[in-house]
């Protein structure tokens, strides 16, 4: 199985990491996996940086094997190595203000409506499934590192500048 970096042939596929479209001609990363539903293999497509954060192992494999020039190779490698170093980091799916009732996966206390929370996903056999939330204040204990801001912001494309700034200072204060 050989993972690939290549230009997207059409604008129809979506990134598994962030759910947004992969633009035609844009570089995309393909993780080759055994097809969970049939014989043979299937390919999961990602924006390269989304894959570096959420699927660091195949990205590093592909960067090592690929002779092709990959733009931003150092950025991808740094993100993938950081994500690989702490086993829970690939679960980060962005930040949002709490809508319903949820209990923090780290401290088991409720996350009040309107408070910032970090969304988690778990990867299993080619699928990312929602896996609950944690308080911002619990992020350091949960992820075993405080260095998560860029990673969280990457998967929060809907947030405006003011909200990003709020998150930045909230994370820095914990
Ligand atoms: Zn993406
Ligand atoms: Zn908590």
């Amino acid at each position: 199985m050989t993972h690939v970096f290549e230009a997207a042939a059409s604008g129809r596929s979506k990134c598994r990491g962030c759910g947004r479209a992969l633009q035609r001609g844009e570089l995309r990363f393909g993780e080759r996996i055994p097809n969970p539903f049939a014989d043979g293999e299937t390919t999961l497509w990602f924006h390269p940086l989304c894959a570096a954060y959420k699927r660091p192992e195949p990205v590093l494999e592909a960067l090592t094997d690929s002779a092709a020039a990959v733009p931003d190779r150092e950025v991808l490698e740094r993100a993938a190595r950081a994500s690989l170093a702490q086993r829970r980091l690939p679960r980060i799916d962005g930040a949002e203000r709490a809508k319903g009732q949820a209990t923090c996966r780290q401290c088991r206390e409720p996350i009040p409506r309107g408070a910032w929370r970090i969304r988690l996903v778990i990867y299993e056999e080619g699928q990312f499934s929602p896996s609950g939330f944690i308080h911002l204040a619990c992020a350091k204990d949960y992820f075993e590192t405080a260095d998560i801001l860029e990673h969280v912001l990457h998967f929060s494309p809907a947030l405006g500048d003011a909200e990003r700034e709020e998150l930045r200072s909230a994370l820095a204060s914990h």
Side-chain angles (χ1 to χ4, degrees), residues 20-151:
R20 292 155 83 92
L22 291 154
Q23 302 299 331
R24 184 192 167 105
E26 188 182 17
L27 187 76
R28 63 181 181 175
F29 172 71
E31 178 182 1
R32 307 281 293 159
I33 62 163
N35 190 331
F37 308 108
D39 290 341
E41 293 181 354
T42 186
T43 306
L44 307 177
W45 296 108
F46 297 86
H47 295 111
L49 190 54
C50 291
Y53 281 131
K54 284 191 169 167
R55 301 291 299 139
E57 277 173 305
V59 166
L60 288 172
E61 261 172 53
L63 286 175
T64 308
D65 296 350
S66 166
V70 177
D72 297 327
R73 176 182 278 267
E74 289 84 47
V75 174
L76 294 177
E77 197 170 326
R78 203 175 326 121
R81 289 208 184 286
S83 210
L84 194 61
Q86 302 292 349
R87 68 192 171 91
R88 286 171 166 170
L89 283 179
R91 297 181 185 175
I92 292 177
D93 194 47
E96 63 189 22
R97 291 203 176 273
K99 296 164 205 131
Q101 290 290 323
T103 298
C104 174
R105 296 271 314 237
Q106 173 66 22
C107 69
R108 307 284 159 193
E109 297 289 327
I111 303 174
R113 190 183 298 265
W116 285 107
R117 63 186 183 186
I118 295 176
R119 272 194 313 275
L120 305 173
V121 288
I122 297 268
Y123 174 86
E124 218 170 25
E125 293 188 350
Q127 300 278 351
F128 290 93
S129 312
S131 180
F133 305 92
I134 57 166
H135 292 110
L136 283 194
C138 291
K140 195 174 167 194
D141 288 339
Y142 183 80
F143 296 112
E144 297 176 356
T145 173
D147 189 12
I148 60 165
L149 179 69
E150 292 309 317
H151 195 145

